[in-house]
Amino acid sequence: MDARWEIDFVGFGEFESGDVVAHNGKYLGTWKVDGNDNVSFIPVDHDKAVYTEKFLHSLCDKIQRWLSSVDIEGLLGGDPEGSGAPPV
């Protein structure tokens, strides 16, 4: 399966930010678009973006590699269905 289809950018194309969720429903963090149309990924355990890319498929590939290097079960401190917070 192509890595970009294993990650969902909730609300992408409709909003300037939203949740990032794995194909299994695990909340991974948030995404946001800047004034230059770059998309950033902020993991649940970080205060700032760890990846910023112009193209969503490149960002998905980086997030997929990141996922393979972290303990996904240990990431979540809150609601497994998402942050519950409004978009930033």
Side-chain angles (χ1 to χ4, degrees):
M1 175 184 283
D2 196 331
R4 68 181 147 248
W5 305 121
E6 294 183 21
I7 300 166
D8 185 16
F9 290 74
V10 179
F12 188 80
E14 298 176 48
F15 303 104
E16 293 183 10
S17 64
D19 290 340
V20 178
V21 181
H23 72 292
N24 63 2
K26 181 69 76 174
Y27 173 70
L28 303 175
T30 59
W31 63 269
K32 68 179 181 176
V33 178
D34 68 17
N36 295 320
D37 292 331
N38 294 309
V39 184
S40 296
F41 169 61
I42 304 101
V44 66
D45 60 348
H46 288 72
D47 294 333
K48 59 183 179 177
V50 294
Y51 302 118
T52 300
E53 289 290 330
K54 187 73 165 173
F55 301 105
L56 196 58
H57 69 275
S58 297
L59 184 58
C60 287
D61 290 342
K62 286 185 176 183
I63 294 171
Q64 190 64 39
R65 285 193 299 273
W66 171 81
L67 276 173
S68 67
S69 71
V70 296
D71 174 15
I72 188 87
E73 297 304 318
L75 277 179
L76 199 57
D79 178 9
E81 298 301 319
S83 68
V88 183

